[in-house]
Amino acid sequence: MKKSIALTPDIETLFGTRDENLHVLEDGLNINIDLRSDRIELEGAPRDVARAEQLFADYEHLRRTGHQFQNGDLGSLLRVVVGDPNVTLRGLAEAGRQRSFGRRTVQPKSPNQRRYLEAIEKYDMVFAVGPAGTGKTYLAVAMAISALLNKQVNRIILARPAVEAGERLGFLPGTLQEKIDPYLRPLYDALFDMLEPERVERYLEKNIIEIAPIAFMRGRTLNDSFVILDEAQNTTSEQMKMFVTRLGFGSKAVITGDVTQIDLPSARRSGLIEAAEILQGVNGLAFVNFDETDVVRHHLVQRIIRAYDEHKSRLAEQQLSLLETRTLEPRTLEPKPATPPAKLTDAAPRPASLPPLSEEPRLRN
């Protein structure tokens, strides 16, 4: 099926740098897009061409209503749209504007990020597991700020295990707060990115926003709070159980982590991995898994994560092959030890090599 769409003013902004957005549409919808001097020609299956035509119409509507896309948001939204047939560009863009994230407008940049935001809205506890750069922490902080500004919760609590690459708080100089701050810096960065610095400082002073290591959570019941546990792969089993049982009435909890970057001692099992096994079928919570396609940092980060995953797969295959080889090797029979000679007893017969006993000599007269 072929379809022609007339070129409209400023439609070229949809194409992206070097037509990269058009390549996203061609690959995602399995269609061909041909740019002519006065029109755009679409060719492909009727359903795919209709989706592309709707996408162009949605973009034209958003442009006329004053919607502006920034920082590569359009390309990310297009990937979400082509990845989910139930999503439209117009619906996705307008839904993003309805959320209040302070001074930031945050849009999901992948289908998994969209499912992540929807899961946080729907469930009281959400686990987000995936590599670095997929927006797990940033989006969780954004949803927490949205809930606080909309008065859905009274405070935000951000927790993180103070274990990084074998370091311990006692080895760091300064007061307790100065010791803690380096571990919690990513959470501070997200807060200052979405709220004015003065407001963040005011919220911190009044404990409306509280940041603390997970060890400080024991014994507390968190009501009307939005609680985020970051870097949860570095929690122990006991710490994770303690955290997930802190949830009080009117609260939400988001647990984020990357199971490929565990800094716990080798003898300790990650509480995040254990929780994923134990809580998988529990009603009222959700698990969202990210991969390298969700990385929203530099494109090189995606390739680096993919290279590490491929290396891990090769190592696993080599170990499996080595194990199978050892299993199939024939076992060599060890020689049996020589049987020790039997002890001579009165009842045992005399060996043939021994001469017979002579008769007792008779006494002569």
Side-chain angles (χ1 to χ4, degrees), residues 156-277:
I156 299 173
I157 299 176
L158 308 175
R160 212 177 192 211
V163 176
E164 296 291 343
E167 298 168 354
R168 296 293 183 272
L169 288 177
F171 293 103
L172 296 176
T175 64
L176 179 61
Q177 188 64 37
E178 292 171 343
K179 291 173 184 286
I180 293 171
D181 282 350
Y183 294 96
L184 306 176
R185 178 51 53 186
L187 301 176
Y188 282 113
D189 292 341
L191 287 173
F192 283 108
D193 193 41
M194 282 177 256
L195 292 175
E196 297 80 4
E198 297 79 11
R199 178 180 283 190
V200 174
E201 295 294 343
R202 187 169 65 252
Y203 284 166
L204 289 172
E205 290 176 2
K206 295 182 178 180
N207 280 335
I208 296 176
I209 297 179
E210 180 182 348
I211 304 179
I214 189 174
F216 293 1
M217 308 290 289
R218 188 174 298 278
R220 302 179 61 180
T221 301
L222 307 175
N223 295 321
D224 300 316
S225 304
F226 198 114
V227 193
I228 299 174
L229 174 59
D230 192 33
E231 299 290 343
Q233 76 275 4
N234 288 328
T235 60
T236 63
S237 299
E238 297 81 7
Q239 288 175 331
M240 178 60 72
K241 181 180 179 181
M242 179 269 293
F243 178 83
V244 296
T245 55
R246 298 305 97 195
L247 199 65
F249 296 104
S251 294
K252 282 182 177 289
V254 179
I255 298 98
T256 70
D258 179 4
V259 294
T260 66
Q261 298 190 38
I262 299 175
D263 299 317
L264 291 171
S266 57
R268 304 300 297 270
R269 192 184 187 203
S270 170
L272 179 60
I273 295 178
E274 184 180 75
E277 297 174 357

Side-chain angles (χ1 to χ4, degrees), residues 6-23:
L7 289 176
T8 58
D10 297 328
I11 189 65
E12 65 274 5
T13 55
L14 173 62
F15 303 161
T17 305
R18 298 179 182 178
D19 297 337
E20 60 182 1
N21 291 340
L22 296 184
H23 298 321

Side-chain angles (χ1 to χ4, degrees), residues 76 79-80 83 107-116 128-136 139 288-299 301-303 305-306 309:
S76 301
R79 291 182 176 86
V80 176
Q107 293 278 7
K109 300 181 185 301
S110 71
N112 283 332
Q113 285 193 356
R114 176 173 169 267
R115 284 192 282 269
Y116 183 38
V129 182
T134 51
K136 305 182 300 295
L139 291 177
V288 180
N289 295 308
F290 294 88
D291 54 37
E292 74 277 359
T293 61
D294 301 302
V295 173
V296 292
R297 294 177 182 171
H298 195 284
H299 293 299
V301 177
Q302 292 185 359
R303 295 193 288 270
I305 293 174
R306 191 178 302 116
D309 290 341

Side-chain angles (χ1 to χ4, degrees), residues 117-129:
L117 295 181
E118 292 176 350
I120 293 175
E121 291 178 338
K122 181 178 180 180
Y123 297 97
D124 290 335
M125 183 174 292
V126 177
F127 288 81
V129 182

Side-chain angles (χ1 to χ4, degrees), residues 66-85:
H67 189 97
Q68 296 182 352
F69 299 95
Q70 299 176 352
N71 299 328
D73 285 346
L74 180 57
S76 301
L77 292 178
L78 292 178
R79 291 182 176 86
V80 176
V81 173
V82 300
D84 190 342

